[in-house]
Amino acid sequence: MTHAMLKGSNVPLEATTVRAVLRWSPGQDVPDVDVSALLLGSDGRVRSDEDFVFYNQPRHPSGVVWRLGKKRLAQGLTDTIQTDLTGVEAGVTRILLVASADGVTFDRVRDLSILLYDAGAPDGEALASFAIRPETGEETALICGELYRRGEGWKFRALGEGYSNGLKGLATDFGISVDEAEEAQSAARPSSAAPAAQPLPPEQPSAVPAQPAYGYPQQPPATAPLQPAYGYPPAPATTPATAPVPAPAGVSGYGYPPPVTPGPGQDVGLPPMGPQFIGR
């Protein structure tokens, strides 16, 4: 049974590996939300910048805290961090679970909540859930809750504490040095903006012939001889397509008998007329 938590309440954890799922409802004006984790020592501060697990550093060097990434479920969008509590170094006493909206205020994020699951039972229901309600609506980062040591075990406390100066301001308060790496981290962060338009390809050189219209054969190059019409003999390859082809001596045109050349002493004339039939 899922334990519904109120702000400031806590619940003991028997699971050895905990999956913390940040969930919210998508919408046209709803900003993208990221989950992060800060591993704190007994002084309430990180031991080094490596104790900050976020989108640009998704896994702690110890390998016991890491991001699982975002998913779209029927209940809404999620971003998840998983922690192997048995492997957390002795110098770490608290692990903050943080939500940030990349400079956009949380009054535009609907149905924000954090749910804790036993990672060893992937099909089990949530161990605890906490519906997060920003106090002012101007928060751009929120501490949703914390995993903390209690004797030999661990507990989870629901917090919902807000920051108006974003993830950078929150991380700085706990000892993270973000000024030098701010530009590099911003450039590495995945963006949900539409990709920039690609430049058009260069124009084709004027020497490239135009393509024929659809359904018509392509015209042959001007230097190639034209093909003969159907049923007529082809013109010689060396003769231009537009020049008339003279018939060789003694050879008639196509379909006509050859001319007769009279010899010496021969008289070539028309044949005599046959008898005429006159009607009566």
Side-chain angles (χ1 to χ4, degrees):
M1 180 177 179
T2 302
H3 182 72
M5 303 184 67
L6 299 175
K7 185 174 181 177
S9 62
N10 62 77
V11 61
L13 299 173
E14 297 181 358
T16 57
T17 304
V18 173
R19 191 168 69 248
V21 179
L22 191 68
R23 189 173 70 192
W24 66 98
S25 296
Q28 182 176 2
D29 297 325
V30 176
D32 193 23
V33 180
D34 295 296
V35 67
S36 308
L38 288 90
L39 287 70
L40 308 181
S42 58
D43 60 352
R45 297 172 66 84
V46 297
R47 300 165 300 172
S48 71
D49 289 355
E50 292 181 339
D51 284 341
F52 186 23
V53 177
F54 66 122
Y55 49 78
N56 198 35
Q57 187 170 271
R59 192 177 188 91
H60 191 265
S62 65
V64 299
V65 182
W66 66 98
R67 285 169 53 98
L68 293 180
K70 298 183 179 181
K71 290 184 179 180
R72 181 182 290 271
L73 306 177
Q75 299 86 352
L77 299 174
T78 66
D79 197 6
T80 305
I81 279 188
Q82 187 159 304
T83 304
D84 178 7
L85 297 175
T86 60
V88 176
E89 299 161 285
V92 176
T93 60
R94 300 161 59 198
I95 300 175
L96 301 184
L97 301 173
V98 176
S100 59
D102 194 25
V104 182
T105 55
F106 270 95
D107 59 348
R108 293 167 55 183
V109 180
R110 303 195 305 265
D111 306 320
L112 182 67
S113 62
I114 187 167
L115 301 97
L116 265 65
Y117 292 86
D118 181 356
D123 297 328
E125 63 180 1
L127 304 174
S129 66
F130 174 44
I132 307 166
R133 294 178 177 84
E135 294 181 351
T136 66
E138 298 302 316
E139 296 89 346
T140 53
L142 289 165
I143 302 177
C144 303
E146 64 176 359
L147 305 168
Y148 65 99
R149 292 186 188 270
R150 180 60 68 186
E152 297 298 323
W154 288 83
K155 286 187 171 184
F156 173 75
R157 179 182 288 118
L159 293 176
E161 298 175 357
Y163 281 73
S164 60
N165 51 355
L167 185 61
K168 175 185 175 182
L170 187 154
T172 301
D173 281 358
F174 290 95
I176 297 293
S177 302
V178 296
D179 291 335
E180 296 180 358
E182 180 182 6
E183 294 184 1
Q185 292 169 1
S186 299
R189 188 188 189 283
S191 174
S192 58
Q198 297 296 323
L200 295 176
E203 295 184 359
Q204 297 294 332
S206 57
V208 177
Q211 296 297 323
Y214 181 79
Y216 292 89
Q218 185 174 358
Q219 294 296 329
T223 55
L226 296 176
Q227 296 297 323
Y230 182 79
Y232 291 90
T238 56
T239 305
T242 56
V245 182
V251 178
S252 68
Y254 185 81
Y256 292 90
V260 177
T261 303
Q266 294 182 346
D267 183 15
V268 178
L270 294 175
M273 300 291 291
Q276 303 295 319
F277 293 94
I278 300 174
R280 292 180 182 180

